[in-house]
Amino acid sequence: NNYDRLPCIWDNKGNPGNVMFDTESSDVVSIDNMMSCMSSSCGPNYAAYLDKLRATTAAVVSSPETVHTNFDKVRALLREGCPDGHGWPGLGIDIGEEGSLAVQNGFINTVDFVVNGDESHGIRALTKEELETMQDNLVKWLALDMPGDRREAEIDIVSGSGFEAIDIEFMNEVLEIFKEAYLALEEPSESTV
């Protein structure tokens, strides 16, 4: 959920300066990584974002071989750039439907990993409890890096940016949306009943 990268769920033009390509492996590497949680205090934007994420996730999980509109926006970014946004003129190449599907399948693989884990590597599905434990551990690690006179300072996890902006409720809402999409696959459709 980093809005400052590729236009997909967010209604922005993207920031291709935060996406690099490894010339040896052709891997995509994201830079300027930071947490971008929303809070329910964002009002209608919060609900609108979650609704859009829910619709996008359900669409791509249920029809993984069909390019979804939100992932086709990445194709347009690479082809046309975002001259009105960050001024980037684009690559002038079209990754085609195959490229759009590759980006979309990366999203699907991430959703699957979060929802189901990776049994072959002993990684469990992500839960709200695990998110809370990760947050607690992060606060402890951040405190260890503080100078001695600030070590006892309470870290305000509710406000700020970066790690301090972690909102477990938002992350859990996203996790539940991902789970809903997979559960819908398991439910028999009315046409098969």
Side-chain angles (χ1 to χ4, degrees), residues 4 12-14 54 58 63-64 71 76 88 90 105 107 111 119 131-132 138 142 149 163 178 183 187 191-192:
D4 191 27
N12 68 341
K13 300 200 183 284
R54 181 175 286 108
S63 299
F71 288 92
W88 185 60
N105 285 330
F107 175 80
V111 170
E119 202 172 294
L131 290 170
E132 290 168 341
L138 181 61
L142 288 173
D149 60 332
F163 292 125
F178 291 171
L183 284 173
E187 295 174 1
S191 63
T192 60

Side-chain angles (χ1 to χ4, degrees), residues 54-173:
R54 181 175 286 108
T56 300
T57 304
V60 299
V61 168
S62 64
S63 299
E65 298 306 316
T66 302
V67 177
H68 188 276
T69 304
N70 285 340
F71 288 92
D72 210 33
K73 291 193 294 187
V74 176
R75 176 182 179 181
L77 171 72
L78 295 174
R79 184 181 58 237
E80 302 157 13
C82 55
D84 297 336
H86 287 274
W88 185 60
L91 298 174
I93 61 170
D94 188 354
I95 61 171
E97 187 173 309
E98 183 179 335
S100 295
L101 285 172
V103 174
Q104 184 171 296
N105 285 330
F107 175 80
I108 293 170
N109 291 340
T110 301
V111 170
D112 182 65
F113 181 78
V114 167
V115 171
N116 298 311
D118 183 350
E119 202 172 294
S120 68
H121 290 94
I123 299 172
R124 299 181 312 255
L126 193 57
T127 64
K128 181 178 182 184
E129 292 75 23
E130 189 170 353
L131 290 170
E132 290 168 341
T133 299
M134 288 178 192
Q135 183 182 37
D136 290 343
N137 288 338
L138 181 61
V139 170
K140 291 173 191 169
W141 295 329
L142 288 173
L144 291 175
D145 285 340
M146 289 181 170
D149 60 332
R150 291 188 57 208
R151 192 165 293 202
E152 300 301 319
E154 189 69 31
I155 296 174
D156 182 5
I157 221 65
V158 177
S159 63
S161 60
F163 292 125
E164 296 84 17
I166 295 171
D167 185 313
I168 296 296
E169 294 307 316
F170 171 77
M171 294 172 71
N172 190 57
E173 290 255 17

